Amino acid sequence: MNFEKKRPSRKQREANIARAQKQTTSDPHTHSGVRLQKVMADAGLGSRRACEQMILDGRVEVDGHIVIELGTRIDPTKQRLVVDSMPIETSTEKVYFALNKPAKVVSSMGDPEGRRNLDEFVRDRTERLFHVGRLDYETEGLLLLTNDGDMANRLTHPRYEIPKKYLAQVKGPVAKDVGARLREGIELDDGISRVDSFKLIDSQPGVALVEVILHSGKNRIVRRLLSAVGNPVLRLVRTEFGPIELAEQRQGKMRQLRPEEVSELMKAVDL
């Protein structure tokens, strides 16, 4: 369920708030606790701002008490959090993984069409994991997974401009001015997009290997940019996400990030 996008109607919001004002259960505020919107963001319910709006809309209950005050603090290890009548896991133990996603795997925890998806790689984990951004069905490479919703939201937020590096095998030849054009910006259907860096790695008759670095999170952006300059992608692999590198990690394998890697990610998003 996408809690961030599922805002109730004005009539329902007014009814929720009226119910909150009439409730008789005790206030769940815990002075030594964590701000409710942070607990919600950490649980992957959306950005902190989106979680604040959920609270103001009367969609959040703690220990059976509808909470509409943004200053509320709770103990996520002891108190029961419910959003839109759905219990939310608020475990405070955070985990961070790097997956080398194969091609023809959907970047979701399930697929109505029965295609391979991320559940195949995380089904043995007890945590409620979610992916940081996504890779399209055909794209391979580095995908981060975590139960730290706050970090996941920041890593995908345009404000932090997290760079991603890709290796792309494309149809050649690659014109000499392609790098300059991509850095300057290409007009696509959804506006102008540009890369941070472009490098020709190797060139053979009819095919070339290029490296692209960019921080845009637009859908299929690397494929669309390279197609727009006349070099459609034959194979695409993400090799880096911010400070995290794929390196020699085997395809289909998931590994837990080292403490220093987690620290680098936190620095990148001001945590």
Side-chain angles (χ1 to χ4, degrees):
M1 181 182 294
N2 192 326
F3 290 94
E4 191 164 357
K5 294 183 179 180
K6 189 190 174 187
R7 193 180 186 194
S9 65
R10 179 178 178 181
K11 183 177 181 180
Q12 184 60 57
R13 295 198 302 272
E14 291 175 348
N16 290 345
I17 293 170
R19 181 180 159 210
Q21 293 170 340
K22 294 178 180 179
Q23 61 196 353
T24 57
T25 52
S26 59
D27 186 348
H29 178 75
T30 302
H31 291 286
S32 60
V34 182
R35 284 190 180 276
L36 178 56
Q37 56 265 44
K38 182 179 187 305
V39 174
M40 293 170 62
D42 285 345
L45 300 184
S47 65
R48 288 200 197 184
R49 180 171 296 181
C51 291
E52 289 175 353
Q53 190 61 56
M54 291 180 210
I55 295 170
L56 294 174
D57 288 343
R59 299 167 59 188
V60 181
E61 296 181 34
V62 179
D63 292 343
H65 185 103
I66 298 176
V67 177
I68 56 175
E69 298 294 333
L70 294 182
T72 301
R73 292 176 177 270
I74 70 169
D75 183 344
T77 66
K78 297 179 180 179
Q79 293 179 277
R80 185 171 185 265
L81 173 64
V82 174
V83 177
D84 294 340
S85 302
M86 179 175 289
I88 304 299
E89 173 60 49
T90 58
S91 171
T92 56
E93 183 178 352
K94 303 304 177 187
V95 292
Y96 309 86
F97 296 96
L99 169 69
N100 186 349
K101 184 187 93 67
K104 301 187 185 301
V105 171
V106 181
S107 291
S108 67
M109 295 302 174
D111 182 65
E113 298 178 27
R115 295 173 295 181
R116 294 180 69 191
N117 57 78
L118 300 180
D119 180 66
E120 173 183 331
F121 307 98
V122 304
R123 63 180 53 146
D124 293 333
R125 302 294 311 182
T126 57
E127 306 90 353
R128 175 177 173 259
L129 294 174
F130 36 87
H131 47 89
V132 179
R134 61 179 59 235
L135 293 174
D136 67 58
Y137 185 60
E138 297 289 348
T139 299
E140 309 162 42
L142 181 59
L143 188 65
L144 302 181
L145 298 108
T146 182
N147 60 350
D148 186 339
D150 195 14
M151 177 182 282
N153 277 303
R154 291 184 180 223
L155 285 171
T156 54
H157 196 288
R159 169 185 173 186
Y160 297 99
E161 298 189 339
I162 304 299
K164 279 84 73 175
K165 180 185 288 187
Y166 297 82
L167 284 179
Q169 185 183 60
V170 301
K171 288 186 178 180
V174 177
K176 291 182 178 180
D177 67 342
V178 162
R181 291 171 60 195
L182 289 170
R183 287 188 291 270
E184 183 178 345
I186 302 293
E187 181 76 43
L188 301 174
D189 292 342
D190 52 357
I192 295 177
S193 293
R194 54 181 56 84
V195 305
D196 301 330
S197 172
F198 176 87
K199 183 187 299 183
L200 177 63
I201 304 297
D202 189 30
S203 183
Q204 302 291 334
V207 66
L209 182 66
V210 301
E211 176 191 276
V212 177
I213 300 176
L214 77 174
H215 57 267
S216 172
K218 291 181 179 179
N219 186 41
R220 299 175 63 85
I221 187 62
V222 177
R223 293 179 183 275
R224 291 193 289 139
L225 281 171
L226 291 173
S227 181
V229 295
N231 299 107
V233 170
L234 302 173
R235 183 183 179 190
L236 185 62
V237 182
R238 183 158 69 192
T239 59
E240 295 183 16
F241 192 119
I244 310 303
E245 299 181 3
L246 189 63
E248 300 301 318
Q249 187 173 336
R250 289 186 297 163
Q251 195 170 89
K253 296 298 181 182
M254 190 169 76
R255 68 173 181 87
Q256 191 156 2
L257 297 187
R258 300 185 299 274
E260 59 268 27
E261 290 179 306
V262 176
S263 295
E264 288 297 320
L265 280 178
M266 289 183 171
K267 288 179 184 177
V269 293
D270 297 332
L271 283 175

